[in-house]
């Protein structure tokens, strides 16, 4: 080891003093090691053994690990560490910089933690061909605006420590006055208030749900665990927690076990927690919760922003007391969009709902410099501009995020964050650096109110397209044409050049005024002028979004068989042809979907939102006309001469006749038709879900629907 008083290695005593000061102040720091990678690793091998770095992680190759106690992880695995605490992160930027993983790991550092970042010199970042770009199809772009912007943010941050070990291994280290009171991790006033609010909800009147929002690191999960135990101690017998997955609530159960006097560690998972003689805290997966509907006085839905709105609504209506909790500025995506979208459901169904939030950090001080730096780097605080009622002049223009002023970029990204739950730091990089991306901004009276981000995909040669269709090749990017070729079986879908709309967002205050359609029309005009074959999109399907896209002229061509991990919804792909070949492909895909639809729905989408199934059904091309035998069966069913089971095949074919589904009135009747006729639910399932009070009543309602159709639709 080099003598700490020499000039070739780090000032060991100075770094130990710095870390002690950070710990006392509740602060964390970013340390950028610029330039020669080998020199940076050698410098770290001298420094790390004298610092408190356990537990810590290293994201580079195992053979280059600068200290043996570090845990070697892949940089893309950063989000898996959310909810845990680290003392040190050594991030090997020379081996890749996935933004989501970087941002997530920064949120795991405890007070006194150091985040070492090995990178080229700051002025070279914009030209650095990051190895992680290959994963997302960004390699070879030449100039990288996202990385150049990061370099600018770091260069302008007075609290970041920049070191070039090969040139100056012992730069002056920051010093600070010791705080009057040393920082200690403990419950905040916010957290204590949240526990009281949750307990009040859980013990209070029915149908007054609580919505909890919080930034990462605010102790939300711990507060929910403490609240659950309080509720069970105060008379509730069963509190059920649900979430998109069990990992999301491990911290909640850890704190619940501790509060109930049991031994625990964060890795013990989500086993039931018994409290007293009869109280029990349980975790139920979403699908099982909604299928079996256990009796429970209180339901807690953690990370609710990742749960489809229709499932949140079913929980809201299915249990007397519900607490929804979500992260607002998550490193894996924002929950702000959830708060906006779900508010209308709460207002309509439970107007006495309440909301509360956590703002004070619990694992570090409110004056910590790393959190605001991370927020600036990845625009985690991005806000859409306020909209004025007087702004009436509409303007749509092409816009390039990679060259935009930071204030413009923040406003535009804020719109995306509000509109889409999973808008993450990785999306910001993709938007800024994708050479195939094309974007538009819409202003009203000079104020930004809408953005559209699209990318050109496809155009593969016929041989490669055939390999893609057969599943023998998978290319980076080209999401829409590859998916259509692979899953629909048409190789020509990968040959055509398509403009895929990746994101579209309009300010909540002006939605419903046709501004989104104006943006899509601009994208469609671009596709025509560029000689593209079609314009399409792919998103987590729900009825409201489908209705919007259909108003824009796009139609469903594929519904995925598995729910997306990000949205919890089935991926829905829509397309509109622009060229003659594109229109022919769209017609072919829609015709094929129609042929398969009645077979696929009850086998694959039995749990899908009923209104989504109905809207897709009525948007498909008209099926073959009904014949005399079909009409005889329908009349017999309508008048009670033929049972539901024997009439089911013709009822399904009736659904595909033009205008039939659209003409059905009443939300309950439409839902019953979707569940019973198209999705194939049994009568006990329908009754348990509240679709009908029993088979006799359900059949009577369906008979009435068919009778109305036969009477009012002589054109069938």
């Amino acid at each position: 080891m080099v003598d700490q008083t020499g000039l070739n290695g780090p000032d060991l005593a100075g770094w130990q003093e710095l870390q002690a000061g950070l710990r006392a102040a509740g602060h964390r720091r970013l340390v950028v090691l610029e330039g020669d990678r080998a020199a940076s690793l050698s410098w770290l091998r001298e420094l790390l053994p004298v610092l408190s770095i356990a537990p810590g992680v290293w994201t580079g190759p195992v053979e280059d690990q600068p200290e043996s106690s570090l845990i070697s992880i892949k940089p893309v695995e950063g989000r898996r560490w959310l909810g845990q605490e680290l003392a040190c992160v050594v991030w090997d930027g020379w081996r890749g910089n996935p933004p989501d993983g970087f941002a997530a790991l920064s949120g795991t550092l405890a007070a006194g933690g150091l985040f070492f970042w090995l990178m080229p010199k700051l002025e070279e970042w914009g030209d650095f061909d990051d190895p992680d770009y290959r994963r997302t199809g960004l390699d070879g772009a030449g100039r990288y605006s996202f990385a150049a912007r990061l370099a600018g943010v770091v260069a302008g941050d007075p609290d970041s420590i920049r070191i070039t070990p090969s040139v100056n291994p012992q730069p002056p280290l920051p010093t600070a006055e010791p705080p009057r009171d040393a920082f200690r991790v403990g419950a905040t006033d916010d957290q204590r208030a949240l526990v009281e609010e949750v307990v009040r909800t859980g013990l209070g009147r029915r149908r007054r749900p609580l919505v909890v929002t919080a930034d990462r690191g605010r102790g939300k999960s711990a507060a929910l665990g403490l609240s659950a135990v309080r509720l069970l101690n105060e008379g509730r017998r069963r509190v059920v927690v649900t979430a998109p997955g069990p990992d999301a609530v491990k911290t909640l159960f850890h704190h619940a076990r501790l509060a109930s006097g049991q031994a625990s560690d964060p890795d013990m998972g989500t086993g039931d927690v018994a409290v007293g003689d009869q109280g029990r805290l349980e975790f139920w997966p979403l699908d099982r919760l909604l299928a079996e509907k256990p009796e429970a006085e209180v339901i807690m839905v953690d990370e609710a922003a990742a749960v489809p709105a229709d499932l949140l609504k079913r929980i809201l209506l299915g249990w007397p007391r519900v607490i929804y909790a979500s992260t607002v500025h998550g490193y894996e995506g924002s929950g702000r969009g959830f708060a906006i979208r779900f508010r209308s459901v709460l207002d309509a169904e439970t107007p006495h709902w309440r909301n509360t939030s956590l703002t004070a950090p619990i694992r570090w001080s409110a004056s910590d410099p790393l959190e605001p730096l991370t927020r600036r780097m990845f625009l985690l605080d991005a806000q859409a501009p306020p909209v004025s009622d007087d702004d009436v002049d509409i303007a749509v223009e092409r816009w390039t995020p990679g060259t935009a002023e930071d204030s413009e970029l923040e406003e535009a990204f804020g719109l995306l964050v509000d509109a889409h739950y999973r808008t993450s730091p990785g999306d910001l990089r993709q938007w800024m650096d994708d050479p195939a991306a094309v974007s538009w901004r819409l202003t009203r009276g000079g104020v930004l109110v809408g953005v559209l981000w699209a990318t050109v995909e496809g155009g593969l040669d016929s041989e490669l397209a055939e390999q893609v269709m057969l599943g023998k090749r998978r290319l980076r990017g080209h999401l829409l044409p590859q998916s259509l070729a692979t899953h629909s079986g048409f190789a020509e879908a990968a040959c055509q050049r398509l403009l895929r709309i990746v994101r579209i967002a309009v300010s909540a205050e002006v939605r419903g005024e046709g501004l989104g359609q104006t943006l899509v029309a601009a994208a469609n005009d671009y596709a025509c002028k560029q000689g593209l074959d079609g314009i399409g999109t792919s998103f987590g399907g729900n009825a409201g979004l489908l209705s919007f896209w259909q108003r824009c002229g796009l139609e469903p061509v594929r519904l995925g068989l598995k729910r997306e991990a990000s949205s919890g919804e089935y991926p829905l792909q829509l397309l509109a042809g622009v060229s003659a070949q594109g229109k022919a492909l769209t017609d072919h895909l829609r015709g094929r979907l129609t042929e398969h639809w009645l077979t696929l729905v009850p086998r694959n989408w039995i749990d899908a939102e009923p209104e989504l199934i109905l809207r897709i059904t009525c948007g498909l091309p008209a099926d073959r006309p009904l014949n005399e035998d079909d009409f005889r069966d329908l009349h017999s069913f309508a008048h009670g001469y033929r049972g539901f089971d024997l009439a089911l095949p013709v009822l399904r074919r009736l659904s595909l006749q033009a205008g039939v589904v659209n003409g059905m009135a009443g939300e309950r009747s439409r839902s019953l038709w979707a569940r019973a006729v198209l999705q194939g639910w049994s009568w006990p399932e329908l009754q348990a879900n509240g679709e009908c009070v029993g088979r006799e009543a359900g059949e009577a309602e369906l008979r009435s629907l068919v009778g109305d159709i036969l009477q009012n639709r002589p054109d069938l």
Side-chain angles (χ1 to χ4, degrees), residues 366-422:
S367 59
D368 165 62
L370 182 61
E371 183 176 45
L373 172 61
T374 306
R375 291 176 179 276
R376 290 195 301 275
M377 289 169 61
F378 302 114
L379 295 182
L380 295 178
D381 285 328
Q383 298 280 347
V387 178
S388 169
D389 293 337
D390 298 330
D391 297 336
V392 293
D393 297 328
I394 303 297
V396 178
E397 59 184 348
R398 284 281 304 279
W399 182 73
T400 305
T403 59
E405 295 289 334
D406 225 48
S407 57
E408 284 186 7
L409 182 64
E410 184 170 355
E411 289 181 350
F413 196 62
L415 277 176
L416 295 188
V417 168
D418 284 345
H420 301 271
Y421 167 63
R422 286 290 176 176

Side-chain angles (χ1 to χ4, degrees), residues 66 119 162 182 248 385 410 412 460 470 479 539 556 595:
M119 282 291 281
R162 294 174 55 191
E410 184 170 355
L460 310 184
L470 295 173
L479 183 153
F539 62 91
E595 293 173 9

Side-chain angles (χ1 to χ4, degrees), residues 382-661:
Q383 298 280 347
V387 178
S388 169
D389 293 337
D390 298 330
D391 297 336
V392 293
D393 297 328
I394 303 297
V396 178
E397 59 184 348
R398 284 281 304 279
W399 182 73
T400 305
T403 59
E405 295 289 334
D406 225 48
S407 57
E408 284 186 7
L409 182 64
E410 184 170 355
E411 289 181 350
F413 196 62
L415 277 176
L416 295 188
V417 168
D418 284 345
H420 301 271
Y421 167 63
R422 286 290 176 176
T423 300
S424 69
D427 293 313
L428 179 61
R429 180 180 71 172
Q430 195 76 19
W431 195 17
M432 295 181 70
D433 287 350
D434 182 4
V438 56
S439 301
W440 288 264
R441 67 197 300 264
L442 186 150
T443 57
R444 199 176 76 160
V447 177
L448 179 71
V449 295
V451 292
L452 186 149
W453 162 22
T455 185
V456 178
E457 299 181 333
L460 310 184
D461 63 62
S462 57
E463 182 176 345
L464 180 55
E466 185 73 16
Q467 295 295 303
V468 168
M469 186 270 290
L470 295 173
K472 296 181 178 180
R473 290 288 302 275
R474 178 69 183 174
L475 309 179
R476 295 187 304 273
H478 304 287
L479 183 153
L480 185 59
Q482 281 199 98
S483 179
L484 293 177
T486 301
H487 298 290
S488 299
F490 296 109
E492 59 266 35
C495 297
Q496 295 196 4
R497 296 177 67 226
L498 306 176
L499 183 68
R500 177 172 66 90
I501 298 175
V502 181
R503 293 278 197 276
I504 184 171
V506 172
S507 296
E509 299 93 329
V510 293
R511 288 175 193 165
E513 297 182 12
L515 301 181
Q517 291 173 251
T518 301
L519 282 166
V520 175
N524 190 75
D525 288 345
Y526 173 84
C528 292
K529 292 174 181 176
Q530 295 296 313
L532 304 182
D533 294 297
I535 179 172
T537 191
S538 179
F539 62 91
N542 67 66
L545 284 177
L546 173 57
S547 178
F548 164 75
W549 288 112
Q550 287 176 321
R551 291 195 300 272
C552 294
L554 279 68
E555 291 294 346
V557 290
R558 176 179 173 262
L559 185 63
L561 301 181
K562 295 181 179 179
R563 290 186 183 271
E564 294 177 328
S566 58
S567 68
E569 296 168 333
Y570 291 102
L572 180 61
Q573 294 171 340
L574 298 96
L575 193 62
V578 172
S579 68
Q581 296 93 330
K583 292 176 181 176
L585 173 64
T586 303
D587 290 343
H588 202 173
L589 289 168
R590 292 185 65 219
R592 195 67 170 163
L593 180 60
T594 301
E595 293 173 9
H596 296 169
W597 185 243
L598 297 180
T599 300
L600 292 176
V601 171
R603 288 186 61 86
N604 298 286
W605 303 304
I606 188 172
D607 61 342
E609 178 190 2
E611 192 61 30
L612 174 67
I613 295 298
L614 292 173
R615 286 186 182 273
I616 295 176
T617 301
C618 67
L620 293 172
D623 196 19
R624 65 169 178 79
L626 300 175
N627 57 35
E628 291 184 8
D629 292 337
D630 295 328
F631 279 111
R632 183 179 62 249
D633 286 346
L634 288 173
H635 279 284
S636 295
F637 175 73
H639 292 91
Y641 307 134
R642 180 176 290 270
F644 172 78
D645 293 332
L646 290 176
L648 183 57
V650 72
L651 294 178
R652 286 180 172 168
R653 286 200 296 275
L654 176 64
S655 303
L656 286 175
Q657 302 305 303
V660 165
V661 169

Side-chain angles (χ1 to χ4, degrees), residues 39 58 175 197 334 336 359 377 407 462 643 650:
W58 156 251
T175 58
E197 191 70 17
S334 171
R336 292 213 315 257
T359 57
M377 289 169 61
S407 57
S462 57
V650 72

